[in-house]
Amino acid sequence: MYLAKYERPTLKKDLALFPRPIVSMLKLGEMYLIAAEGAAESVSTGEAIRLLNILQQSRNGGIFTSDDKEAIISEILKEYRREMIGDGQVFYAYKRRNVPEIEKGYATSGVVTMSVEKYTPDIPTTEFDGGRTY
């Protein structure tokens, strides 16, 4: 399985129609989500809702109104899934929040039960010892 957004044409005549594939370092939507998450944790739920609504309005989405902190965080994670599909950032949002179960994200339904071990992969030995042998 792969995402169609990364698919590029193979015919020479079609190559000029598509720019070179890029992976952005930081998106504006991601900045709003980071700010909303930080506001929910440290500033106020009202500020988090304000930032979240700016993003949702720009995407013609529904407007979130609950002032419950956990509901706001849950909505932010939903926005991460919509905003960052295929970019790898959703995993880090889940890891940062230590989410115990994440949706599989493809045709078959269900969840993956996560743990600290699953969120923290082993360090490859070539990185751990710098490739040196002792």
Side-chain angles (χ1 to χ4, degrees):
M1 294 176 60
Y2 64 93
L3 292 172
K5 79 180 206 176
Y6 293 118
E7 186 176 356
R8 294 293 181 252
T10 55
L11 298 175
K12 263 195 186 280
K13 67 180 184 70
D14 293 335
L15 288 176
L17 300 174
F18 297 89
R20 287 185 20 211
I22 61 168
V23 176
S24 60
M25 291 180 60
L26 186 64
K27 296 178 179 181
L28 182 58
E30 183 179 3
M31 290 172 51
Y32 273 101
L33 292 171
I34 290 167
E37 187 177 353
E41 291 294 336
S42 304
V43 181
S44 71
T45 55
E47 179 64 8
I49 292 169
R50 185 186 75 77
L51 292 164
L52 188 57
N53 283 338
I54 290 171
L55 176 66
Q56 290 177 329
Q57 285 173 346
S58 70
R59 302 296 189 255
N60 294 324
I63 302 303
F64 186 76
T65 57
S66 173
D67 63 352
D68 176 54
K69 181 180 168 183
E70 291 306 314
I72 292 169
I73 297 297
S74 176
E75 185 71 11
I76 289 170
L77 290 174
K78 289 176 189 174
E79 288 296 332
Y80 263 105
R81 286 195 299 270
R82 284 188 280 266
E83 189 75 17
M84 317 288 180
I85 189 165
D87 292 345
Q89 293 302 316
V90 178
F91 174 80
Y92 295 108
Y94 287 141
K95 182 178 179 178
R96 185 173 57 255
R97 305 290 324 162
N98 198 24
V99 175
E101 290 183 337
I102 58 176
E103 294 177 25
K104 286 187 177 178
Y106 46 85
T108 59
S109 62
V111 295
V112 175
T113 303
M114 295 300 288
S115 63
V116 172
E117 293 77 24
K118 288 182 180 178
Y119 278 127
T120 311
D122 293 332
I123 299 173
T125 54
T126 57
E127 290 182 21
F128 185 75
D129 61 14
R132 294 184 288 282
T133 54
Y134 299 99

